[in-house]
Amino acid sequence: IYDKFVEKALKRAKEEKLCSPNSPECTQGPVVDMKQFDRVMNYISLGKQEGATLLTGGTRHGTQGYWIEPTIFTDVKDDMRIAKE
């Protein structure tokens, strides 16, 4: 069941439409501000540093605003910060 779930989550993440939240096509908007953007990017960095496997995403989307690509990790252990916080 795990592998099927990861496969479907990965497919869904790659189908996300990052655009204006006012657009009916939008499925993911930006984070609210630079503080939150930095916080999310820090957790992505921590996940990689602690040994989780980054399957997709994990980077800024575009050059303006606070957009982050849909991000999926696997191999996350209970003691990792991305699992606990």
Side-chain angles (χ1 to χ4, degrees), residues 1 6 12 18 24-25 28 32-33 36 40-41 44 50 55 57 62 64 67-68 70 73-74 80 83-84:
I1 192 166
V6 170
R12 173 68 190 260
L18 281 72
E25 296 177 2
Q28 179 178 322
V32 69
D33 58 21
Q36 188 64 21
V40 172
M41 294 304 292
I44 291 168
E50 292 180 344
L55 288 185
Q64 297 180 352
W67 301 85
I68 301 172
F73 280 100
T74 58
M80 293 179 177
K84 294 192 301 184

Side-chain angles (χ1 to χ4, degrees), residues 16-72:
E16 291 290 308
K17 303 285 188 214
L18 281 72
C19 54
S20 169
N22 296 326
S23 170
E25 296 177 2
C26 180
T27 58
Q28 179 178 322
V31 295
V32 69
D33 58 21
M34 183 57 107
K35 182 177 178 181
Q36 188 64 21
F37 178 86
D38 289 342
R39 182 176 293 143
V40 172
M41 294 304 292
N42 183 56
Y43 277 112
I44 291 168
S45 179
L46 285 169
K48 293 189 282 187
Q49 289 173 21
E50 292 180 344
T53 302
L54 179 64
L55 288 185
T56 191
T59 60
R60 177 181 211 129
H61 175 76
T63 58
Q64 297 180 352
Y66 309 115
W67 301 85
I68 301 172
E69 293 179 353
T71 302
I72 297 178

Side-chain angles (χ1 to χ4, degrees), residues 73-84:
F73 280 100
T74 58
D75 304 315
V76 177
K77 308 296 182 217
D78 290 342
D79 63 338
M80 293 179 177
R81 286 183 63 188
I82 62 172
K84 294 192 301 184

Side-chain angles (χ1 to χ4, degrees), residues 2-13 15 72:
Y2 175 82
D3 291 336
K4 285 184 179 184
F5 176 82
V6 170
E7 179 183 324
K8 287 182 179 190
L10 186 58
K11 181 179 184 290
R12 173 68 190 260
E15 293 172 348
I72 297 178

